[in-house]
Amino acid sequence: NHDRGGGGGRVPSRCQHVDFVAAGLKLGPGDFCIDLGCGSGRTLVWNADQGAAMVGIDVSPYFARQL
């Protein structure tokens, strides 16, 4: 079971995950964030599109090259 509480056992979609994380961070113009373990950079890119200065770091060479 991948339930993180209150989800009825349902794993959220990637888009829902990005929306959830981004809404909690509330980053925008003038903000700076380092995303450790950024993976594909989906959340990083979304926040950068909102005006935040972002740096992404991932130990996976595959994902690091994608950024």
Side-chain angles (χ1 to χ4, degrees):
N1 186 335
H2 292 91
D3 186 15
R4 296 290 187 243
R10 192 172 150 270
V11 177
S13 72
R14 289 183 176 142
C15 187
Q16 288 172 322
H17 174 77
V18 171
D19 290 346
F20 174 77
V21 171
L25 293 173
K26 297 180 179 142
L27 296 175
D31 292 324
F32 175 78
C33 183
I34 299 174
D35 187 351
L36 301 174
C38 64
S40 66
R42 185 177 291 111
T43 304
L44 179 145
V45 169
W46 192 93
N47 282 293
D49 287 346
Q50 305 309 306
M54 302 292 295
V55 172
I57 299 172
D58 200 283
V59 297
S60 166
Y62 172 79
F63 282 129
R65 282 191 301 272
Q66 304 306 308
L67 298 174

